[in-house]
Amino acid sequence: MSNLARNLFNQLKSKEFREYLMSTHFWGPVANWGIPLAAIADTRKDPVFISGKMTFALSLYSLMFMRFAWKVQPRNLLLFACHFTNECAQLTQGARFINYHYIQGGEKKEKKESS
């Protein structure tokens, strides 16, 4: 175990790791993590506030950037993980949107309650 910890520490203090921390391969995905975190937080909110068009657009955006992160050399797995998480969150939001507006009839329910 001590040898494993020493190897990990040596890896973390290496020049390659420091260069990685100062690259766009690291900071780009770190900045992007705000999008999936916000989408995950929004899953607790009322589905009446979900924008179907924006959910669809963000879903396509994440699909395209997952492909980009996989195809770029060297592969950017941190960016891939960010967009994979966002894709899952957007699909969840999309399912909530469809369920509320088309299956449960959310708009009709709102009109009946306000009458």
Side-chain angles (χ1 to χ4, degrees):
M1 188 66 173
S2 173
N3 197 20
L4 179 66
R6 185 178 306 115
N7 286 341
L8 179 62
F9 181 72
N10 287 337
Q11 182 71 24
L12 293 176
K13 70 177 191 175
S14 70
K15 182 180 182 201
E16 291 83 16
F17 186 73
R18 287 192 313 264
E19 287 176 356
Y20 173 69
L21 286 179
M22 296 300 138
S23 72
T24 56
H25 266 258
F26 177 75
W27 288 108
V30 167
N32 261 327
W33 270 101
I35 298 169
L37 291 176
I40 292 168
D42 285 348
T43 59
R44 297 184 174 267
K45 294 182 180 173
D46 192 349
V48 73
F49 298 112
I50 299 172
S51 167
K53 291 178 183 179
M54 183 55 87
T55 299
F56 180 69
L58 285 170
S59 187
L60 288 180
Y61 161 80
S62 282
L63 278 174
M64 288 188 298
F65 274 93
M66 273 196 299
R67 183 182 185 282
F68 169 80
W70 190 257
K71 292 288 187 178
V72 70
Q73 292 299 322
R75 284 192 175 136
N76 193 336
L77 296 180
L78 187 58
L79 184 64
F80 184 86
C82 171
H83 286 292
F84 179 79
T85 304
N86 190 44
E87 184 65 26
C88 293
Q90 295 304 328
L91 290 176
T92 300
Q93 290 292 78
R96 291 179 69 224
F97 177 83
I98 290 168
N99 183 41
Y100 180 77
H101 289 284
Y102 298 105
I103 297 173
Q104 292 179 349
E107 293 172 358
K108 294 174 188 172
K109 192 187 319 182
E110 285 177 13
K111 287 179 183 177
K112 285 181 184 178
E113 290 175 2
S114 65
S115 296

